[in-house]
Amino acid sequence: MNSRFKHVWVGSTISQLGDVGFMLALPWLVLQMTGSSLALGSVMMALAIPRALLMLLGGAVSDRFPARTVLAVAYTAQALCVALIALLLQRQALNLQLLYLIAFCFGVADAFTSPALRVLLPELVPPEQLQRANALLQSSMQICVLAGSAVGGLLIAHYGLLFVFIADAASYAYIIIVLLCMAARPRTATPGAEAGGIMPAIAAGLRYVWRDAGLRAVLISFASINFCATGATQIGLVVLAGQRHGSSGLGLLMACAGAGSLLGLALAAKWRSPLTVHRSAAAASFALSLLLAGLALPLPLWWVGLDAALLGAVAGYVNIQVLSWLQGSVRSDMLGRTMSVLALASVGITPLSLAAAGLLAQSGTGALFLGAGTLLLLTSAALWRHAAPAPLPDPA
């Protein structure tokens, strides 16, 4: 990996670690200020809603302007939001209305970071290294979430909320400097692309994704995998542990799922599947369908833990393969919009997945796991029959 990617990797990891602390400190701050779970939920919604609604806009902007500039501006806006919370908190001038506004602004900026970072990556590494680069970035983020939660909790307990907000604001400094010092690669846009507005650009991106049968099939399968796996793991495993294994069992299952995801990301960094991306997604859907259906059986805890680890590994690997294929295959002037659709197929689909899983779990975990497994089995069958393009070339 070249030095430009390494600097971006290190910088994004540092900022991600700071953000984990922020996502712990913000709800804790709301509870300290109000003592209301309703206020807590509404502040977190003020952050999450603009991120979901504006993600397509973030992709269109990332296609129109240099990705490193979009990313630098978005990170700077987020750093200023966190710094403002720290300043108002230090002066005891923070109230709930200001917190709503700041959380909303943070969510707006966050809508631009994911598509811009994914557009930037092909500018940093050659196509044969995309899968490894994506795996490294995602592994760092996963480790930050796992380790950062514990570290953030300790920092809040020992140094207070103000320290955590200041540390998060400072965590953006390195990545912003790296991006500002980086030379932007010239963009090749389609003729007349700059003449229209943002909304026509978003519509053009959606048409591009839908009209390409191969691209549409991959994105639908990606959405299906995330829809089934997210609800099954975050709702189904919790309910299953509560019914059969207790709180200690829940901790073990969540740890197994997280460790499995890291294993899948590590495998993606080292090994490229010989199958086309369509066949790989079909094989992953089939494997996940069997693993989810297996959880409907009355299995011992160690077996459920192994199943959860394999679920995380398969989902983690195929997510990286799909992302890397898109970055190496999609037209450069449409990459940002395609990446925003991909983000919606993962992050945006989470609330629907959790709601559906919660409804099915009321009829028992067996119905939830069998339902998710059946949907993925149908996805696998449909995708396997799809005429797929050749896989990305192996490294020399």
Side-chain angles (χ1 to χ4, degrees), residues 52-362:
L53 292 180
L54 298 177
M55 203 165 285
L56 291 175
L57 174 63
V61 171
S62 298
D63 281 335
R64 181 159 296 190
F65 300 99
R68 61 104 183 176
T69 303
V70 175
L71 202 53
V73 171
Y75 280 146
T76 300
Q78 289 184 314
L80 291 175
C81 287
V82 180
L84 182 58
I85 292 177
L87 177 63
L88 293 173
L89 186 61
Q90 192 273 332
R91 295 189 175 184
Q92 298 183 344
L94 188 62
N95 56 50
L96 191 58
Q97 289 72 30
L98 286 172
L99 210 51
Y100 281 128
L101 179 60
I102 296 170
F104 180 85
C105 292
F106 188 96
V108 170
D110 205 33
F112 293 81
T113 58
S114 177
L117 181 59
R118 288 170 172 174
V119 171
L120 178 65
L121 200 58
E123 300 180 13
L124 302 179
V125 298
E128 65 271 11
Q129 293 185 1
L130 279 172
Q131 184 164 313
R132 184 184 177 202
N134 280 303
L136 290 173
L137 282 173
Q138 292 296 326
S139 296
S140 298
M141 292 180 184
Q142 183 79 357
I143 292 171
C144 285
V145 171
L146 295 175
S149 299
V151 173
L154 290 174
L155 290 176
I156 292 173
H158 286 84
Y159 299 102
L161 290 170
L162 179 60
F163 176 86
V164 173
F165 286 122
I166 292 174
D168 182 34
S171 72
Y172 289 96
Y174 184 80
I175 185 63
I176 292 172
I177 293 172
V178 168
L179 292 169
L180 291 178
C181 294
M182 186 183 297
R185 191 178 74 175
R187 285 297 188 90
T188 56
T190 50
E194 299 299 324
I198 287 294
M199 295 308 296
I202 293 174
L206 293 174
R207 286 195 300 271
Y208 171 77
V209 169
W210 186 253
R211 289 175 179 175
D212 187 306
L215 182 57
R216 184 175 69 241
V218 168
L219 288 171
I220 290 175
S221 69
F222 185 86
S224 178
I225 288 172
N226 281 286
F227 179 79
C228 295
T230 300
T233 53
Q234 295 189 26
I235 300 295
L237 288 180
V238 173
V239 175
L240 181 65
Q243 292 175 346
R244 302 180 190 174
H245 308 294
S247 58
S248 59
L250 174 60
L252 175 63
L253 295 182
M254 292 297 103
C256 288
S261 180
L262 281 175
L263 177 62
L265 294 172
L267 182 61
K270 297 291 186 181
W271 179 70
R272 187 187 302 274
S273 171
L275 299 175
T276 64
V277 68
H278 291 76
R279 291 291 172 89
S280 289
S285 297
F286 180 72
L288 290 170
S289 71
L290 296 181
L291 291 168
L292 287 171
L295 290 174
L297 302 173
L299 302 172
L301 179 59
W302 69 269
W303 189 267
V304 178
L306 177 60
D307 197 309
L310 291 174
L311 279 170
V314 174
Y317 181 89
V318 74
N319 281 349
I320 292 298
Q321 188 179 17
V322 168
L323 173 59
S324 303
W325 177 77
L326 290 172
Q327 288 170 325
S329 303
V330 172
R331 239 171 57 191
S332 62
D333 61 306
M334 286 290 180
L335 185 55
R337 281 162 282 186
T338 304
M339 290 297 103
S340 66
V341 173
L342 182 73
L344 283 176
S346 53
V347 177
I349 210 168
T350 296
L352 295 176
S353 175
L354 296 177
L359 289 174
L360 283 174
Q362 290 182 335

